[in-house]
Amino acid sequence: MNIKSFFSCTLLFSSMHVIAQHEVSTYVYSNSFSNIAPVLELAKDEWQTPPKTDADNGFSQTRIGLSYQPSYWQQFTFHIEQRLDYFVKSNPDTALGYYQESNKTPLLSKENYQAKLDYFANRSKGLGITFEHQFELFLLGVKGSYWGVDYFRHSFVSGNVQGREDNSLLGELNYQEYYTHNNFLKRPNNGGWDNSGSGYSFDVFTEFMPWENVLVRASFIDIYNQFTVDNVGFTRANINTKGSFVDNQGFSSFRPLLKGFEGESEHDFRIPEHVAIELSYKQRELSYVANLLRQGDINFVQLGVQLPWGESQIKLLIDPVNLVPQLGYESEWFDFSLAMDKLNPNKAMQLSLAARISILF
């Protein structure tokens, strides 16, 4: 081999190494919203802020993961992830009553509280594979994940409650709950039920340009999913606190009456899908952006601009309905975005964080 051929081969292998590199990334994607109380107070179950008069909905979803894309198989990306999903549907009476009860305040603001609560919690760890293919007119990606459920709880409560000056409650509640650990009645697990389950989910991503200078990106997270917990704790009961009796001291007291079933049960569940569509129109160096999102059965809209900053991109968005600003930064190896409706995160009713750090080698 002559010198010219040697240098030609060296340049060829060097260019192949630059183009086809291994990529390892660590990332977190988290989005939380509540019109009941600040999201961090809900997450910690430490309510310090009175609920809004229209309080009825909230969610928090987080994925934390590590991914690997091999240089020799770049259509595939392999993931190790943990996910946390919380959803709550309620009504203003329940939110107010729970806040007062948590702060040891008698439930006397209303003559009668109409209780309604649907609470869902899931924590799982999983493995996933993403496959991407560039067609002539669009890019398509599909991600499949298998999950092991570490913690699960789904609670339903309905009925009517009245408060008394001594912080006791009168009323009747219908209650149903599936759980691996915590539960309303603090029932202990003495080995009677399982603390785990499993499931799978599919995400779909696409990107295309329908017209010149117009780019469309769409993500459908958990578009299809199914989870099963085979033998979890289960309680179905009617709780009636209106029964009275006379104790040994001759005082009239109230005793809650609990009628129902405690045992174990198989339970199947699904997680609501998360849809995100981004439309961008590029004019010279500036791109105008509109985001349409649906998560936790709630719709969101974001409008803004994206502009270059060196080899990176800066994105400035605002939710015109909830008045939530978002700041984003994107580069080849680092992405970051943050959205909050309050400068103090402890008071935020909406909090969104996304970050990615990648290493190429």
Side-chain angles (χ1 to χ4, degrees):
M1 177 184 292
N2 57 34
I3 295 178
K4 183 177 180 180
S5 300
F6 173 79
F7 278 110
S8 298
C9 291
T10 302
L11 290 173
L12 175 62
F13 282 108
S14 297
S15 63
M16 290 175 61
H17 178 74
V18 171
I19 295 173
Q21 293 180 295
H22 299 276
E23 181 175 344
V24 175
S25 301
T26 182
Y27 54 87
V28 56
Y29 302 111
S30 180
N31 193 22
S32 302
F33 170 86
S34 167
N35 66 0
I36 301 174
V39 293
L40 293 183
E41 290 186 12
L42 285 177
K44 297 175 183 178
D45 199 17
E46 298 175 356
W47 288 30
Q48 302 297 325
T49 306
K52 293 185 175 181
T53 56
D54 60 347
D56 66 352
N57 214 333
F59 71 84
S60 179
Q61 290 190 276
T62 300
R63 287 200 190 190
I64 303 171
L66 181 71
S67 66
Y68 168 63
Q69 184 182 65
S71 62
Y72 48 84
W73 223 5
Q74 290 200 328
Q75 286 183 302
F76 290 89
T77 303
F78 302 90
H79 304 262
I80 301 174
E81 289 187 324
Q82 181 175 23
R83 67 180 301 159
L84 301 93
D85 306 286
Y86 300 93
F87 299 92
V88 58
K89 294 182 180 179
S90 185
N91 62 15
D93 281 10
T94 307
L96 177 60
Y98 187 84
Y99 164 75
Q100 292 174 328
E101 177 73 13
S102 300
N103 289 275
K104 303 187 185 306
T105 301
L107 275 67
L108 301 174
S109 299
K110 307 189 70 171
E111 182 178 348
N112 183 61
Y113 290 74
Q114 295 184 348
K116 179 182 179 183
L117 178 67
D118 181 346
Y119 175 77
F120 174 93
N122 166 61
R123 294 201 298 263
S124 303
K125 295 184 180 73
L127 300 174
I129 300 177
T130 298
F131 173 77
E132 292 185 357
H133 183 72
Q134 179 65 60
F135 293 91
E136 183 178 355
L137 299 177
F138 64 96
L139 172 71
L140 179 65
V142 177
K143 179 182 178 184
S145 300
Y146 175 81
W147 302 97
V149 178
D150 295 329
Y151 173 89
F152 171 75
R153 180 177 176 181
H154 200 177
S155 310
F156 306 90
V157 179
S158 62
N160 294 277
V161 174
Q162 296 173 343
R164 304 175 72 209
E165 291 283 358
D166 61 357
N167 274 339
S168 62
L169 299 176
L170 300 176
E172 184 174 2
L173 296 174
N174 294 308
Y175 161 76
Q176 178 174 297
E177 187 172 32
Y178 300 88
Y179 42 87
T180 57
H181 295 77
N182 297 339
N183 55 90
F184 275 126
L185 299 182
K186 302 186 184 303
R187 177 190 176 197
N189 184 3
N190 297 316
W193 70 79
D194 296 334
N195 289 334
S196 61
S198 61
Y200 57 87
S201 66
F202 291 95
D203 308 332
V204 177
F205 317 89
T206 188
E207 181 178 306
F208 60 96
M209 295 185 68
W211 303 284
E212 186 179 2
N213 297 331
V214 176
L215 177 65
V216 179
R217 291 174 176 166
S219 302
F220 304 90
I221 310 300
D222 293 322
I223 189 171
Y224 184 79
N225 65 89
Q226 184 69 52
F227 290 78
T228 299
V229 280
D230 293 324
N231 190 46
V232 291
F234 172 66
T235 302
R236 181 192 292 122
N238 175 269
I239 305 171
N240 192 326
T241 64
K242 293 181 179 179
S244 63
F245 70 101
V246 178
D247 63 18
N248 337 353
Q249 308 295 325
F251 294 104
S252 178
S253 302
F254 293 87
R255 172 185 296 163
L257 301 177
L258 177 65
K259 296 180 180 180
F261 170 81
E262 280 189 342
E264 294 75 45
S265 175
E266 179 182 356
H267 186 58
D268 297 329
F269 66 92
R270 296 186 63 187
I271 296 172
E273 67 274 10
H274 169 202
V275 179
I277 300 174
E278 179 184 285
L279 307 173
S280 64
Y281 172 71
K282 187 173 183 179
Q283 189 175 40
R284 296 181 182 178
E285 296 296 324
L286 193 66
S287 294
Y288 299 93
V289 180
N291 289 339
L292 308 174
L293 309 123
R294 180 171 178 80
Q295 189 170 6
D297 295 330
I298 303 173
N299 297 320
F300 301 92
V301 177
Q302 293 177 313
L303 302 174
V305 295
Q306 180 173 306
L307 59 154
W309 188 37
E311 296 182 357
S312 307
Q313 296 285 326
I314 300 291
K315 188 177 289 186
L316 303 172
L317 300 171
I318 188 166
D319 181 336
V321 177
N322 299 301
L323 300 179
V324 180
Q326 177 171 315
L327 173 64
Y329 172 85
E330 297 178 5
S331 70
E332 182 181 6
W333 66 275
F334 177 66
D335 296 342
F336 178 82
S337 70
L338 178 65
M340 289 192 301
D341 64 333
K342 300 285 192 305
L343 290 177
N344 183 354
N346 292 318
K347 300 296 182 182
M349 307 291 287
Q350 186 170 344
L351 179 60
S352 178
L353 171 67
R356 174 190 64 89
I357 300 176
S358 297
I359 299 174
L360 301 175
F361 61 96

